Amino acid sequence: MRVELTEEQEMVRAMAREFADKDVRPIAAEIDRDARFPRETVRRMGGLGLLAMTIPPAYGGSGTDTVSYAVAMEEMARACASHAVIMSVNNSLYCEPVHQWGSEEQKQRFLVPFVGGQKIGCFALTEPQAGSDATNQHTLAVRDGDHYAVNGRKIFVTNGRESAAALVFVQTDHEAGHRGITALVVEKGTPGFLVPRVEEKLGLRASDTAEFVFEDCRVPVANRLGEEGMGFKIAMSSLDSGRIGIAAQAVGIAAGACELALGYARERKSFGVPIGQHQMVQWMLADMATAIDAARLLTLRAAALKDAKKPFGAAAAMAKLFASETAMKATTDAIQVHGGYGFIKEYRVERYFRDAKITQIYEGTSQVQKLVIARSVLGGA
Amino acid sequence: MGTAFWCIVEDDRKGQPKKVMAEVLTEAGRLSGGQAEAVWLTDKAAPDGLERLAEWGASKIWLLESPALAPYRGEAWVPVAAALVSARAPKAILGPVTSRQREFLARLAARLGVGFAADTVGLELDGDTLVATRPVYAGKLLSKVTWAKTPWVASLRPNVFKAGDPQPGRAPVVERPSFTVPDATLTLVERREEVSTGLPELTEADLVVSGGRGLKGPENFVILESLASVVGAAVGASRAAVDAGWRPHRFQIGQTGRTISPKLYLGFGISGAIQHLAGMRTSKVIVAVNKDPEAPIFKIADYGIVGDLFEVVPALTEEFKKLLGK
Amino acid sequence: MKILVPIKQVPDTATQVKVGGDQRAIETAGITWIISPYDEFAVEEALRIKEKRGQGEVVTVSLGPDRVKEALRSSLAMGADRAIHVNDPAFAEADTLLTARALAAVFTQEAPQLAIFGRQAIDDDMGAVPAQVAELLGWPSLYWIMEEAIDAGGKTIRAGRQVEGGLEVFEAPLPCVLAAQKGLNEPRYPTLKGIMGARKKEIKDLKAGDLGLAPAPPQLSVVRLEALPPRSPGRIIGGEVKDAARELVRALREEAKAI
């Protein structure tokens, strides 16, 4: 068994780390404080190819593998989890489904401009009464000639305000339940597509999380991804691969907090020695390091399975579950290592703690991941 | 093989040797038992400049004076110096680390087919060989190097080697060997002077005041400049301050900037990243002021004040004024 | 225009370096290797010249063991067209002059119009190789370059070198050696496309014999590598700001005799 990255994957890591350290880390605290979307660095990420890593060169991407994507996500989150989620949504939840399910004409219109950072995309699935139960879609699309008339609401849309187009899941056949869900690409500026509000959040404050309202919004049938009724499948397969990205983000958050805790444990003295010499602190650091390594290995395994075109849904769910729980625990302990200073914004570790929480919730809560894992291990039972 | 230690003269381009030559000549004299000889390639040497070299310890001055030697061009200097080396066979060729000598000495060594040790901070004889000490890996380690044959070519870091007391009135012994300067292909098009700050040049200054991210903005360097003008110090900056665009790059102290060894270094709002320490850790006395008691710079500082630099700098400026009667 | 860019692989600045078992080199286990930062300025400048002229070839060259391939591959990912790896144990203890001889032999084979180096490698900080290659080839060299411009015909270059108190702009005929100073440019990150494309580019392996070089001993050799002697612990001056300032100035005058 090989557990080493290839030379190319190492180069991706080195590039992502350098960019994250030099260009992202210095602004991370400020954009978190001001809840400011980092347009400039996001545009540059597009130029480097980080916003659509797995898209083939024919559409302007670089055709890197999922392992490289996970590695780059971890490096980005280590510096700033907001940048990481912006990256993850454009990669896994917008570009990949458009590439996988779109027609050639749709790819030219809705994929190519979203690969290099000129435009970014988003994924609108969650509704006020449809979170974990994504089958319960209330946004309705009624066919009217060569258009759909869309009415409804979507919430918690990452990149919602900043995006130029949204992958929106609508109900085209109410009777058919989740088999009546259809995916539409809806461009900003389409009459009746409104963005009434952007949420104030605990963490990931520099990413934008918007609410969408559709009021008799006329969307061309030509914007439909796949056939009517394929929306649920598109959403679920996107989320399967999205989970690998979120797992990697969680690993990065945990690793970033752990680095701060290690730095502090080496510098800070109590009872005449660096606190890292105290067993109680060592215990926390050892647990942290072990869990992070385990989470990273689970994440890379899920990515490698996807690259090998093998079933990876359960592996991605395990990775996302374990990595996000690790992120929460590691960031909590990293603050503990810092003592009172950890509670102070200037020491930066509290941002990791706030950013960690959402990884247990979005793209499937920890409870949903357990459901997926349990179904997988029980088989058809 | 001769026994003389040659010292390549660095001058102010106006006929006067720079004071760093006192350090090089003293060290060469110590190692050679008084046979430190100056070699001066210049378009014009001032007579009192020659006297100064003698006072600083040059037992002889090889004066190579020609308009074709200015401005410095390696292609012109190296053949001239190499011809004299073949004729006189010095045991060593030393020079201070300066913008032109770092290139000149390397080229000369290649022409002579001998070893070159750059930026040395210590030189000792070991039997019949010379051993040089040089900081390597950002100053984290010291490397001791030696030569396979003479002449030993080395550059010396300014402000590290001790200059001896000058010997006033010592008459210069000047030799003017004949030489020809080959045509150089390089031509000087223009020289852009930096706007003079009225403060000493960073790498030559005995005292350096330096600011980092703790200054919070370019406008606040004013308080360091007023402290610097009271004590006659050069003003430097950390990479963080330079990368933020607060100071031009030529003021950066550190691994990717200037290396300095002043008698006194005062760092304000500088955390002390490895890359900064690489550029100033051979300073004789280091003072650090930072509000973070855990800042790594305190580990190498001789004196530290944990506090707000915006309070400490004005207080220090006042105290220095009192001390210096200004 | 063909531009050669010699690069050196060095330990990352953040890496802890320790003296190795033989006391003459560092312990290489666990070290993260990077392209020396000044060499990245050189690669960047070469790429910019090629882009500006709309044609040309950028070739990177490095001496060293197998691991050096990674640095060359990174330069290819940044955009260099091909690379040359001089990989021969004969150069294991090379000094700057042996390195310069090997590079000069590569230059003779490749016949570039321009060579751009970094001003020094950040491991041994010698900064001698660019000048020595130029001397061996009889080319002009310009150190600590902050700006450059090549004439439209590709015959001459103007380059501004940083000197004490200012900048000196020289004109030189090509071929010529430049040594890049920080501030010349801001090196690009390799793009993902560049990284994925690097594999398809050529890295040519050369031995000393391929360059017509006979084995030779170094002219300068390392006797011993030592850890830095620790500085004696300093003194934190406490108390009110005014009192601390007064005490510091007193100590600098009376104890340290620094002012």
Side-chain angles (χ1 to χ4, degrees), chain A residues 314-354:
Chain A
M318 286 180 188
K320 201 249 174 199
L321 170 67
F322 190 76
S324 57
E325 298 294 322
T326 295
M328 204 62 241
K329 177 82 167 73
T331 54
T332 307
D333 286 352
I335 289 182
Q336 198 68 20
V337 169
H338 280 73
Y341 288 110
F343 205 63
I344 306 292
K345 283 198 184 279
E346 193 179 337
Y347 281 76
R348 296 174 297 171
V349 67
E350 60 85 39
R351 171 165 55 83
Y352 288 83
F353 171 80
R354 288 186 285 107

mmCIF file of all heavy atoms in Angstrom, chain A residues 314-354:
data_model
loop_
_atom_site.group_PDB
_atom_site.id
_atom_site.type_symbol
_atom_site.label_atom_id
_atom_site.label_comp_id
_atom_site.label_asym_id
_atom_site.label_seq_id
_atom_site.Cartn_x
_atom_site.Cartn_y
_atom_site.Cartn_z
ATOM 1 N N ALA A 314 -19.856 5.925 0.849
ATOM 2 C CA ALA A 314 -19.735 5.629 2.277
ATOM 3 C C ALA A 314 -18.395 6.121 2.812
ATOM 4 O O ALA A 314 -18.306 6.670 3.918
ATOM 5 C CB ALA A 314 -19.871 4.130 2.516
ATOM 6 N N ALA A 315 -17.344 5.951 1.991
ATOM 7 C CA ALA A 315 -16.016 6.413 2.427
ATOM 8 C C ALA A 315 -16.021 7.924 2.607
ATOM 9 O O ALA A 315 -15.429 8.459 3.554
ATOM 10 C CB ALA A 315 -14.955 5.995 1.408
ATOM 11 N N ALA A 316 -16.707 8.639 1.701
ATOM 12 C CA ALA A 316 -16.776 10.099 1.817
ATOM 13 C C ALA A 316 -17.575 10.484 3.058
ATOM 14 O O ALA A 316 -17.229 11.436 3.767
ATOM 15 C CB ALA A 316 -17.411 10.699 0.563
ATOM 16 N N ALA A 317 -18.637 9.743 3.341
ATOM 17 C CA ALA A 317 -19.441 10.040 4.536
ATOM 18 C C ALA A 317 -18.625 9.806 5.807
ATOM 19 O O ALA A 317 -18.681 10.613 6.749
ATOM 20 C CB ALA A 317 -20.698 9.173 4.537
ATOM 21 N N MET A 318 -17.860 8.716 5.838
ATOM 22 C CA MET A 318 -17.001 8.448 7.006
ATOM 23 C C MET A 318 -15.965 9.561 7.172
ATOM 24 O O MET A 318 -15.711 10.036 8.283
ATOM 25 C CB MET A 318 -16.272 7.121 6.837
ATOM 26 C CG MET A 318 -17.151 5.904 7.020
ATOM 27 S SD MET A 318 -16.124 4.425 6.788
ATOM 28 C CE MET A 318 -17.390 3.163 6.806
ATOM 29 N N ALA A 319 -15.366 9.942 6.061
ATOM 30 C CA ALA A 319 -14.348 10.984 6.124
ATOM 31 C C ALA A 319 -14.948 12.287 6.629
ATOM 32 O O ALA A 319 -14.396 12.949 7.511
ATOM 33 C CB ALA A 319 -13.730 11.192 4.736
ATOM 34 N N LYS A 320 -16.111 12.639 6.078
ATOM 35 C CA LYS A 320 -16.726 13.917 6.456
ATOM 36 C C LYS A 320 -17.154 13.886 7.925
ATOM 37 O O LYS A 320 -16.948 14.846 8.661
ATOM 38 C CB LYS A 320 -17.917 14.187 5.536
ATOM 39 C CG LYS A 320 -18.311 15.662 5.488
ATOM 40 C CD LYS A 320 -19.623 15.927 6.139
ATOM 41 C CE LYS A 320 -19.975 17.391 6.232
ATOM 42 N NZ LYS A 320 -21.001 17.632 7.227
ATOM 43 N N LEU A 321 -17.750 12.769 8.344
ATOM 44 C CA LEU A 321 -18.164 12.629 9.752
ATOM 45 C C LEU A 321 -16.960 12.758 10.683
ATOM 46 O O LEU A 321 -16.941 13.584 11.597
ATOM 47 C CB LEU A 321 -18.832 11.257 9.955
ATOM 48 C CG LEU A 321 -19.100 10.870 11.414
ATOM 49 C CD1 LEU A 321 -20.154 11.790 12.018
ATOM 50 C CD2 LEU A 321 -19.548 9.406 11.519
ATOM 51 N N PHE A 322 -15.951 11.966 10.425
ATOM 52 C CA PHE A 322 -14.817 11.919 11.349
ATOM 53 C C PHE A 322 -14.022 13.224 11.320
ATOM 54 O O PHE A 322 -13.596 13.732 12.345
ATOM 55 C CB PHE A 322 -13.913 10.734 11.007
ATOM 56 C CG PHE A 322 -12.862 10.490 12.048
ATOM 57 C CD1 PHE A 322 -13.195 9.883 13.254
ATOM 58 C CD2 PHE A 322 -11.559 10.910 11.852
ATOM 59 C CE1 PHE A 322 -12.231 9.687 14.236
ATOM 60 C CE2 PHE A 322 -10.592 10.715 12.830
ATOM 61 C CZ PHE A 322 -10.931 10.097 14.025
ATOM 62 N N ALA A 323 -13.838 13.780 10.112
ATOM 63 C CA ALA A 323 -13.037 15.001 9.997
ATOM 64 C C ALA A 323 -13.739 16.182 10.655
ATOM 65 O O ALA A 323 -13.102 17.009 11.311
ATOM 66 C CB ALA A 323 -12.741 15.301 8.531
ATOM 67 N N SER A 324 -15.063 16.262 10.491
ATOM 68 C CA SER A 324 -15.737 17.422 11.076
ATOM 69 C C SER A 324 -15.814 17.295 12.603
ATOM 70 O O SER A 324 -15.654 18.284 13.324
ATOM 71 C CB SER A 324 -17.115 17.622 10.455
ATOM 72 O OG SER A 324 -17.900 16.460 10.626
ATOM 73 N N GLU A 325 -16.003 16.074 13.097
ATOM 74 C CA GLU A 325 -15.971 15.894 14.560
ATOM 75 C C GLU A 325 -14.568 16.209 15.087
ATOM 76 O O GLU A 325 -14.405 16.824 16.152
ATOM 77 C CB GLU A 325 -16.376 14.454 14.936
ATOM 78 C CG GLU A 325 -17.792 14.057 14.529
ATOM 79 C CD GLU A 325 -18.890 14.835 15.279
ATOM 80 O OE1 GLU A 325 -18.710 15.102 16.475
ATOM 81 O OE2 GLU A 325 -19.905 15.184 14.640
ATOM 82 N N THR A 326 -13.559 15.803 14.329
ATOM 83 C CA THR A 326 -12.174 16.099 14.720
ATOM 84 C C THR A 326 -11.913 17.604 14.724
ATOM 85 O O THR A 326 -11.260 18.135 15.628
ATOM 86 C CB THR A 326 -11.198 15.405 13.741
ATOM 87 O OG1 THR A 326 -11.348 14.000 13.884
ATOM 88 C CG2 THR A 326 -9.749 15.791 14.038
ATOM 89 N N ALA A 327 -12.453 18.294 13.721
ATOM 90 C CA ALA A 327 -12.245 19.742 13.651
ATOM 91 C C ALA A 327 -12.822 20.416 14.891
ATOM 92 O O ALA A 327 -12.205 21.302 15.494
ATOM 93 C CB ALA A 327 -12.872 20.310 12.381
ATOM 94 N N MET A 328 -14.017 19.977 15.289
ATOM 95 C CA MET A 328 -14.656 20.602 16.457
ATOM 96 C C MET A 328 -13.856 20.334 17.727
ATOM 97 O O MET A 328 -13.602 21.235 18.522
ATOM 98 C CB MET A 328 -16.089 20.044 16.584
ATOM 99 C CG MET A 328 -17.039 20.940 17.325
ATOM 100 S SD MET A 328 -17.273 22.532 16.505
ATOM 101 C CE MET A 328 -16.675 23.646 17.747
ATOM 102 N N LYS A 329 -13.425 19.074 17.874
ATOM 103 C CA LYS A 329 -12.685 18.686 19.080
ATOM 104 C C LYS A 329 -11.304 19.364 19.098
ATOM 105 O O LYS A 329 -10.869 19.901 20.115
ATOM 106 C CB LYS A 329 -12.526 17.160 19.084
ATOM 107 C CG LYS A 329 -11.715 16.586 20.230
ATOM 108 C CD LYS A 329 -12.583 16.443 21.465
ATOM 109 C CE LYS A 329 -11.915 15.593 22.555
ATOM 110 N NZ LYS A 329 -10.819 16.281 23.226
ATOM 111 N N ALA A 330 -10.639 19.339 17.953
ATOM 112 C CA ALA A 330 -9.278 19.884 17.909
ATOM 113 C C ALA A 330 -9.279 21.396 18.139
ATOM 114 O O ALA A 330 -8.412 21.924 18.834
ATOM 115 C CB ALA A 330 -8.624 19.559 16.562
ATOM 116 N N THR A 331 -10.274 22.083 17.569
ATOM 117 C CA THR A 331 -10.289 23.544 17.760
ATOM 118 C C THR A 331 -10.665 23.888 19.199
ATOM 119 O O THR A 331 -10.160 24.852 19.768
ATOM 120 C CB THR A 331 -11.261 24.227 16.774
ATOM 121 O OG1 THR A 331 -12.555 23.632 16.896
ATOM 122 C CG2 THR A 331 -10.775 24.106 15.341
ATOM 123 N N THR A 332 -11.538 23.081 19.801
ATOM 124 C CA THR A 332 -11.896 23.295 21.212
ATOM 125 C C THR A 332 -10.651 23.117 22.083
ATOM 126 O O THR A 332 -10.341 23.954 22.946
ATOM 127 C CB THR A 332 -12.978 22.279 21.652
ATOM 128 O OG1 THR A 332 -14.061 22.346 20.734
ATOM 129 C CG2 THR A 332 -13.474 22.583 23.054
ATOM 130 N N ASP A 333 -9.907 22.042 21.837
ATOM 131 C CA ASP A 333 -8.704 21.779 22.624
ATOM 132 C C ASP A 333 -7.602 22.799 22.342
ATOM 133 O O ASP A 333 -6.820 23.133 23.229
ATOM 134 C CB ASP A 333 -8.188 20.362 22.348
ATOM 135 C CG ASP A 333 -9.070 19.298 23.006
ATOM 136 O OD1 ASP A 333 -9.965 19.694 23.790
ATOM 137 O OD2 ASP A 333 -8.867 18.107 22.740
ATOM 138 N N ALA A 334 -7.548 23.267 21.097
ATOM 139 C CA ALA A 334 -6.516 24.254 20.768
ATOM 140 C C ALA A 334 -6.741 25.540 21.569
ATOM 141 O O ALA A 334 -5.797 26.179 22.022
ATOM 142 C CB ALA A 334 -6.511 24.544 19.271
ATOM 143 N N ILE A 335 -7.999 25.894 21.753
ATOM 144 C CA ILE A 335 -8.299 27.055 22.610
ATOM 145 C C ILE A 335 -7.902 26.736 24.045
ATOM 146 O O ILE A 335 -7.289 27.549 24.732
ATOM 147 C CB ILE A 335 -9.796 27.432 22.519
ATOM 148 C CG1 ILE A 335 -10.089 28.036 21.145
ATOM 149 C CG2 ILE A 335 -10.172 28.400 23.643
ATOM 150 C CD1 ILE A 335 -11.516 28.491 20.952
ATOM 151 N N GLN A 336 -8.206 25.526 24.470
ATOM 152 C CA GLN A 336 -7.875 25.125 25.843
ATOM 153 C C GLN A 336 -6.368 25.239 26.095
ATOM 154 O O GLN A 336 -5.940 25.715 27.147
ATOM 155 C CB GLN A 336 -8.356 23.679 26.088
ATOM 156 C CG GLN A 336 -8.460 23.304 27.548
ATOM 157 C CD GLN A 336 -9.582 24.061 28.256
ATOM 158 O OE1 GLN A 336 -10.496 24.572 27.624
ATOM 159 N NE2 GLN A 336 -9.484 24.161 29.570
ATOM 160 N N VAL A 337 -5.571 24.819 25.119
ATOM 161 C CA VAL A 337 -4.117 24.912 25.259
ATOM 162 C C VAL A 337 -3.699 26.369 25.433
ATOM 163 O O VAL A 337 -2.797 26.697 26.209
ATOM 164 C CB VAL A 337 -3.398 24.284 24.035
ATOM 165 C CG1 VAL A 337 -1.902 24.620 24.044
ATOM 166 C CG2 VAL A 337 -3.606 22.772 24.014
ATOM 167 N N HIS A 338 -4.394 27.262 24.746
ATOM 168 C CA HIS A 338 -4.074 28.689 24.819
ATOM 169 C C HIS A 338 -4.551 29.322 26.132
ATOM 170 O O HIS A 338 -4.200 30.476 26.406
ATOM 171 C CB HIS A 338 -4.739 29.462 23.671
ATOM 172 C CG HIS A 338 -4.011 29.375 22.369
ATOM 173 N ND1 HIS A 338 -3.994 28.239 21.594
ATOM 174 C CD2 HIS A 338 -3.282 30.294 21.689
ATOM 175 C CE1 HIS A 338 -3.294 28.470 20.494
ATOM 176 N NE2 HIS A 338 -2.845 29.698 20.533
ATOM 177 N N GLY A 339 -5.407 28.599 26.884
ATOM 178 C CA GLY A 339 -5.959 29.189 28.095
ATOM 179 C C GLY A 339 -6.760 30.437 27.737
ATOM 180 O O GLY A 339 -7.391 30.502 26.674
ATOM 181 N N GLY A 340 -6.698 31.440 28.598
ATOM 182 C CA GLY A 340 -7.482 32.659 28.409
ATOM 183 C C GLY A 340 -7.186 33.347 27.093
ATOM 184 O O GLY A 340 -8.086 33.920 26.458
ATOM 185 N N TYR A 341 -5.920 33.271 26.660
ATOM 186 C CA TYR A 341 -5.580 33.928 25.392
ATOM 187 C C TYR A 341 -6.345 33.335 24.217
ATOM 188 O O TYR A 341 -6.602 34.003 23.222
ATOM 189 C CB TYR A 341 -4.077 33.835 25.123
ATOM 190 C CG TYR A 341 -3.257 34.728 26.031
ATOM 191 C CD1 TYR A 341 -2.452 34.200 27.027
ATOM 192 C CD2 TYR A 341 -3.320 36.118 25.875
ATOM 193 C CE1 TYR A 341 -1.712 35.018 27.860
ATOM 194 C CE2 TYR A 341 -2.591 36.945 26.704
ATOM 195 C CZ TYR A 341 -1.785 36.392 27.702
ATOM 196 O OH TYR A 341 -1.064 37.211 28.516
ATOM 197 N N GLY A 342 -6.693 32.067 24.324
ATOM 198 C CA GLY A 342 -7.415 31.415 23.250
ATOM 199 C C GLY A 342 -8.782 32.030 23.011
ATOM 200 O O GLY A 342 -9.356 31.895 21.929
ATOM 201 N N PHE A 343 -9.293 32.677 24.058
ATOM 202 C CA PHE A 343 -10.626 33.282 23.987
ATOM 203 C C PHE A 343 -10.565 34.674 23.362
ATOM 204 O O PHE A 343 -11.582 35.292 23.077
ATOM 205 C CB PHE A 343 -11.196 33.361 25.413
ATOM 206 C CG PHE A 343 -12.681 33.395 25.485
ATOM 207 C CD1 PHE A 343 -13.443 32.321 25.030
ATOM 208 C CD2 PHE A 343 -13.341 34.509 25.998
ATOM 209 C CE1 PHE A 343 -14.825 32.361 25.095
ATOM 210 C CE2 PHE A 343 -14.728 34.546 26.067
ATOM 211 C CZ PHE A 343 -15.472 33.464 25.611
ATOM 212 N N ILE A 344 -9.339 35.150 23.173
ATOM 213 C CA ILE A 344 -9.120 36.510 22.671
ATOM 214 C C ILE A 344 -8.895 36.426 21.163
ATOM 215 O O ILE A 344 -8.147 35.591 20.684
ATOM 216 C CB ILE A 344 -7.852 37.111 23.331
ATOM 217 C CG1 ILE A 344 -7.944 37.023 24.850
ATOM 218 C CG2 ILE A 344 -7.598 38.537 22.846
ATOM 219 C CD1 ILE A 344 -8.979 37.895 25.471
ATOM 220 N N LYS A 345 -9.558 37.335 20.424
ATOM 221 C CA LYS A 345 -9.487 37.275 18.952
ATOM 222 C C LYS A 345 -8.059 37.399 18.425
ATOM 223 O O LYS A 345 -7.703 36.795 17.433
ATOM 224 C CB LYS A 345 -10.363 38.360 18.336
ATOM 225 C CG LYS A 345 -11.827 38.012 18.364
ATOM 226 C CD LYS A 345 -12.620 38.862 17.384
ATOM 227 C CE LYS A 345 -14.105 38.568 17.478
ATOM 228 N NZ LYS A 345 -14.506 37.375 16.748
ATOM 229 N N GLU A 346 -7.251 38.211 19.100
ATOM 230 C CA GLU A 346 -5.907 38.465 18.600
ATOM 231 C C GLU A 346 -5.098 37.175 18.440
ATOM 232 O O GLU A 346 -4.180 37.104 17.636
ATOM 233 C CB GLU A 346 -5.194 39.414 19.566
ATOM 234 C CG GLU A 346 -3.927 39.993 19.004
ATOM 235 C CD GLU A 346 -3.247 40.937 19.974
ATOM 236 O OE1 GLU A 346 -3.934 41.482 20.863
ATOM 237 O OE2 GLU A 346 -2.029 41.109 19.839
ATOM 238 N N TYR A 347 -5.440 36.162 19.209
ATOM 239 C CA TYR A 347 -4.674 34.913 19.143
ATOM 240 C C TYR A 347 -5.152 33.958 18.054
ATOM 241 O O TYR A 347 -4.672 32.848 17.934
ATOM 242 C CB TYR A 347 -4.610 34.252 20.520
ATOM 243 C CG TYR A 347 -3.576 34.935 21.377
ATOM 244 C CD1 TYR A 347 -3.836 36.165 21.945
ATOM 245 C CD2 TYR A 347 -2.312 34.396 21.532
ATOM 246 C CE1 TYR A 347 -2.874 36.848 22.669
ATOM 247 C CE2 TYR A 347 -1.340 35.044 22.258
ATOM 248 C CZ TYR A 347 -1.624 36.271 22.821
ATOM 249 O OH TYR A 347 -0.659 36.919 23.527
ATOM 250 N N ARG A 348 -6.116 34.407 17.264
ATOM 251 C CA ARG A 348 -6.533 33.765 16.009
ATOM 252 C C ARG A 348 -7.191 32.399 16.143
ATOM 253 O O ARG A 348 -7.893 31.966 15.250
ATOM 254 C CB ARG A 348 -5.345 33.635 15.029
ATOM 255 C CG ARG A 348 -4.811 34.959 14.579
ATOM 256 C CD ARG A 348 -3.583 34.753 13.750
ATOM 257 N NE ARG A 348 -2.534 34.131 14.539
ATOM 258 C CZ ARG A 348 -1.403 33.678 14.071
ATOM 259 N NH1 ARG A 348 -1.157 33.754 12.791
ATOM 260 N NH2 ARG A 348 -0.504 33.127 14.860
ATOM 261 N N VAL A 349 -6.940 31.685 17.248
ATOM 262 C CA VAL A 349 -7.411 30.304 17.302
ATOM 263 C C VAL A 349 -8.930 30.240 17.424
ATOM 264 O O VAL A 349 -9.565 29.285 16.974
ATOM 265 C CB VAL A 349 -6.672 29.522 18.418
ATOM 266 C CG1 VAL A 349 -7.036 30.035 19.789
ATOM 267 C CG2 VAL A 349 -6.909 28.030 18.291
ATOM 268 N N GLU A 350 -9.533 31.287 17.986
ATOM 269 C CA GLU A 350 -10.996 31.256 18.158
ATOM 270 C C GLU A 350 -11.722 31.241 16.809
ATOM 271 O O GLU A 350 -12.816 30.706 16.690
ATOM 272 C CB GLU A 350 -11.486 32.388 19.060
ATOM 273 C CG GLU A 350 -11.179 33.802 18.573
ATOM 274 C CD GLU A 350 -12.195 34.356 17.586
ATOM 275 O OE1 GLU A 350 -13.389 34.107 17.760
ATOM 276 O OE2 GLU A 350 -11.753 35.035 16.630
ATOM 277 N N ARG A 351 -11.113 31.828 15.774
ATOM 278 C CA ARG A 351 -11.751 31.792 14.448
ATOM 279 C C ARG A 351 -11.862 30.353 13.939
ATOM 280 O O ARG A 351 -12.870 29.967 13.354
ATOM 281 C CB ARG A 351 -10.942 32.642 13.456
ATOM 282 C CG ARG A 351 -11.401 32.483 12.013
ATOM 283 C CD ARG A 351 -10.863 33.580 11.121
ATOM 284 N NE ARG A 351 -9.420 33.695 11.158
ATOM 285 C CZ ARG A 351 -8.575 32.944 10.429
ATOM 286 N NH1 ARG A 351 -9.050 32.019 9.614
ATOM 287 N NH2 ARG A 351 -7.274 33.119 10.523
ATOM 288 N N TYR A 352 -10.832 29.560 14.207
ATOM 289 C CA TYR A 352 -10.875 28.162 13.771
ATOM 290 C C TYR A 352 -12.010 27.417 14.474
ATOM 291 O O TYR A 352 -12.696 26.589 13.870
ATOM 292 C CB TYR A 352 -9.528 27.483 14.042
ATOM 293 C CG TYR A 352 -8.434 27.961 13.100
ATOM 294 C CD1 TYR A 352 -7.731 29.139 13.338
ATOM 295 C CD2 TYR A 352 -8.129 27.242 11.955
ATOM 296 C CE1 TYR A 352 -6.743 29.583 12.464
ATOM 297 C CE2 TYR A 352 -7.154 27.669 11.074
ATOM 298 C CZ TYR A 352 -6.457 28.840 11.339
ATOM 299 O OH TYR A 352 -5.496 29.268 10.469
ATOM 300 N N PHE A 353 -12.183 27.737 15.736
ATOM 301 C CA PHE A 353 -13.244 27.114 16.531
ATOM 302 C C PHE A 353 -14.614 27.477 15.949
ATOM 303 O O PHE A 353 -15.471 26.620 15.748
ATOM 304 C CB PHE A 353 -13.084 27.613 17.973
ATOM 305 C CG PHE A 353 -14.204 27.268 18.918
ATOM 306 C CD1 PHE A 353 -14.275 26.017 19.499
ATOM 307 C CD2 PHE A 353 -15.169 28.222 19.252
ATOM 308 C CE1 PHE A 353 -15.288 25.714 20.397
ATOM 309 C CE2 PHE A 353 -16.175 27.923 20.145
ATOM 310 C CZ PHE A 353 -16.242 26.668 20.708
ATOM 311 N N ARG A 354 -14.821 28.759 15.616
ATOM 312 C CA ARG A 354 -16.104 29.176 15.056
ATOM 313 C C ARG A 354 -16.328 28.569 13.664
ATOM 314 O O ARG A 354 -17.433 28.203 13.306
ATOM 315 C CB ARG A 354 -16.179 30.712 14.985
ATOM 316 C CG ARG A 354 -16.323 31.372 16.351
ATOM 317 C CD ARG A 354 -16.542 32.880 16.237
ATOM 318 N NE ARG A 354 -15.314 33.595 15.897
ATOM 319 C CZ ARG A 354 -15.054 34.127 14.719
ATOM 320 N NH1 ARG A 354 -15.940 34.048 13.739
ATOM 321 N NH2 ARG A 354 -13.919 34.765 14.494
#
